Amino acid sequence: MLGKSRHPGLGRGRGAAVARSVLAVAVAGLVVSCQAFDQTYEPTVAPSSSPQIVDEVQKNDPRAAMGAREHPRIVASYGGEYKDAKTERLVARIAGALTAVSENPSQSYRITILNSPAINAFALPGGYLYVTRGLLALANDASEVAAVLSHEMAHVTANHGIERQKKEEAEVIASRVVAEVLSSNLAGKQALARGKLRLAAFSRNQELQADVIGVRMLAEAGYEPYAAARFLDSMAAYGQYTSVDPEADQSLDFLSSHPNAPQRVELARRHARAFGAQGTVGDRGRDYYLAGIDGLLYGDSPEEGYVRGQTFLHGTLGIRYDVPAGFQIDNKADAVLATGPGDIAIRFDGVADNQRQSLVNYISSGWVTGLKTETIRPTTVNGLEAATARAAADRWEFDVTVVRIGNRIYRFLTAVPQGSTALEPTANVLKSSFRRLTPQEVASLKPLRVRVVTARQGDTVASLAGQMMGTDRKLGLFRLINALDSTSTIKPGDKLKIITE
């Protein structure tokens, strides 16, 4: 996040920036056709003999103008492209095999691996396909990746992107109004949910149609046709694992672009049966797939800093801080957001400080709406020059804290509903923990990666899970990324993924 200084000014005329940015995550889910737990692609080995580039795609398909227009925005919002020759060769091989059996073999595709830990894959008109490295980490063999790619190719050949855009334009506008005006109250959530369900009803047919086409492509390209159902199961498990609030209705975001998961899995299996019994047809390509993703970056990239439990650390900037227990950190491209119980939200970012104005003057310079000027006061945070203030807007109360290090100002904005007693305790956790990293701490920071290990005699699910890093739910994440259930066992020679440095 902070490494590239992509941080718009806080406030920008909106006092409830933090809470609304949280809602904006849901609204943004309406933009692309295959969202949150949609399918992934994954690699295999060998480059395509005719790799496609953006210019060639645009030249071959006039519909690509829409995709070309959105392409830079998509890449920027997902942290740029993930560059790794081995991974790109894997993707190219699968895409080439699928293209030959697609509905439109003359269609050119521009496949981009997005440098994001999010679980996502989607398509734009004209052959623009996107998959995140987060999806690569979740898939377990080449056939699962092929299932995702074939599904996304089906969206392109069926012109779903153009159809969906027409449907979305009015709905997205209405949903943004709901999010902005009604914020997080019940009426707002219900209105937003109704809009999402209308889009879901529209997209269900598209998703199921793409599933039918995708399963056929899988089988005809020589992959196991049951891979689509298997990976849908993995995505459902991922949704349960990442659910912050087990009592919340997670189906609304999922349904905004996907049909009911059990129904979709069963339909995928039914289509696959037409090609033969499970385990008797097609290739999974597990070994060369695992070899292809060994070393894949996992989670946050070094340029964006790292989230380790309740702590955010950035080696390049040399800073760290904690959020309270029970908070979920979301490391976005433009800021680090954290949300906690009771509708509490935190936003953290940094801006250049070339003028070296006093921090008291900086807080009052107009970037915070609803500022209570009488509350501004200079202070220190772990020996660093700082200033704090309070603000209020709409139904929110804010603590604003800014800290100077060198030629940068770091900004914390903590928001709680009016009347909440949690504002000061929450802000104090941030202030007491924000500090410079020592050179030794910076040197010890390393990104997490997917590592493939071969089970030896005596290894168990528990012992291998114990090698995982970056999570306090080691066993759960190990089972998730290896598609293991509670009764699964391992034997010597099995190849498995772990997350470590």
Side-chain angles (χ1 to χ4, degrees), residues 43-51 85-97 223 288 292:
T44 317
V45 158
S48 167
S49 59
S50 56
K86 180 172 64 173
T87 305
E88 291 172 284
R89 285 195 298 269
L90 293 175
V91 177
R93 174 180 177 175
I94 294 182
Y223 295 109
Y288 67 75

Side-chain angles (χ1 to χ4, degrees), residues 39-181:
Q39 316 187 340
T40 74
Y41 82 16
E42 275 275 347
T44 317
V45 158
S48 167
S49 59
S50 56
Q52 302 299 326
I53 61 173
V54 175
D55 290 342
E56 186 173 349
V57 172
Q58 294 171 349
K59 178 182 66 178
N60 292 345
D61 189 347
R63 293 171 302 175
M66 184 185 300
R69 185 172 61 249
E70 294 298 313
H71 176 75
R73 181 185 65 82
I74 293 290
V75 170
S77 63
Y78 278 85
E81 295 188 36
Y82 181 70
K83 295 292 189 180
D84 180 88
K86 180 172 64 173
T87 305
E88 291 172 284
R89 285 195 298 269
L90 293 175
V91 177
R93 174 180 177 175
I94 294 182
L98 294 172
T99 300
V101 298
S102 73
E103 302 282 292
N104 180 12
S106 64
Q107 170 71 59
S108 298
Y109 291 98
R110 193 323 183 176
I111 304 175
T112 300
I113 306 172
L114 297 169
N115 188 23
S116 170
I119 306 297
N120 210 345
F122 47 91
L124 294 178
Y128 287 77
L129 303 183
Y130 303 88
V131 290
T132 60
R133 58 176 169 80
L135 276 181
L136 297 177
L138 184 61
N140 271 284
D141 57 50
S143 67
E144 291 183 356
V145 175
V148 175
L149 277 183
S150 62
H151 175 97
E152 300 305 334
M153 288 177 171
H155 278 306
V156 173
T157 56
N159 286 327
H160 286 166
I162 293 175
E163 293 176 16
R164 186 173 179 85
Q165 186 188 50
K166 294 176 182 176
K167 180 77 174 183
E168 284 182 344
E169 285 174 350
E171 198 64 65
V172 169
I173 294 172
S175 297
R176 283 175 178 163
V177 171
V178 168
E180 291 293 336
V181 176

Side-chain angles (χ1 to χ4, degrees), residues 200 203-205 207-208 211 254-255 257-264:
S203 66
R204 267 195 289 267
N205 291 335
E207 292 296 311
L208 294 175
D211 282 343
F254 185 76
L255 281 176
S257 60
H258 295 82
N260 175 268
Q263 173 205 25
R264 191 175 172 196

Side-chain angles (χ1 to χ4, degrees), residues 241-283:
Y241 176 85
T242 57
S243 175
V244 178
D245 182 0
E247 298 181 357
D249 183 4
Q250 302 294 326
S251 66
L252 288 177
D253 285 334
F254 185 76
L255 281 176
S256 67
S257 60
H258 295 82
N260 175 268
Q263 173 205 25
R264 191 175 172 196
V265 171
E266 179 51 39
L267 286 173
R269 288 200 176 97
R270 186 188 309 168
H271 295 311
R273 290 187 194 111
F275 299 95
Q278 188 166 0
T280 66
V281 292
D283 176 41

Side-chain angles (χ1 to χ4, degrees), residues 179-365:
E180 291 293 336
V181 176
L182 298 177
S183 192
S184 63
N185 66 21
L186 183 60
K189 289 181 177 179
Q190 290 174 339
L192 190 58
R194 285 194 296 270
K196 286 190 173 188
L197 289 172
R198 284 196 294 272
L199 276 178
F202 171 76
S203 66
R204 267 195 289 267
N205 291 335
Q206 291 186 335
E207 292 296 311
L208 294 175
Q209 182 185 2
D211 282 343
V212 173
I213 297 171
V215 169
R216 178 196 63 76
M217 290 173 61
L218 268 180
E220 293 186 3
Y223 295 109
E224 193 210 45
Y226 292 87
R230 283 191 287 107
F231 197 67
L232 285 169
D233 283 337
S234 289
M235 286 188 290
Y238 178 84
Q240 294 175 349
Y241 176 85
T242 57
S243 175
V244 178
D245 182 0
E247 298 181 357
D249 183 4
Q250 302 294 326
S251 66
L252 288 177
D253 285 334
F254 185 76
L255 281 176
S256 67
S257 60
H258 295 82
N260 175 268
Q263 173 205 25
R264 191 175 172 196
V265 171
E266 179 51 39
L267 286 173
R269 288 200 176 97
R270 186 188 309 168
H271 295 311
R273 290 187 194 111
F275 299 95
Q278 188 166 0
T280 66
V281 292
D283 176 41
R284 288 195 177 190
R286 178 170 168 82
D287 284 348
Y288 67 75
Y289 169 68
L290 291 179
I293 64 163
D294 191 13
L296 180 75
L297 187 65
Y298 185 86
D300 299 318
S301 65
E303 294 79 13
E304 296 176 334
Y306 303 110
V307 175
R308 298 288 187 266
Q310 306 305 114
T311 304
F312 176 77
L313 310 100
H314 201 300
T316 304
L317 300 175
I319 58 172
R320 56 95 66 205
Y321 66 87
D322 301 326
V323 299
F327 276 62
Q328 178 84 8
I329 301 178
D330 191 4
N331 190 8
K332 297 290 188 183
D334 61 344
V336 181
L337 306 178
T339 53
D343 289 332
I344 306 173
I346 299 165
R347 177 183 169 120
F348 170 75
D349 72 359
V351 295
D353 175 31
N354 297 321
Q355 297 181 350
R356 302 288 297 180
Q357 61 183 308
S358 78
L359 293 181
V360 168
N361 290 340
Y362 176 73
I363 282 188
S364 60
S365 62

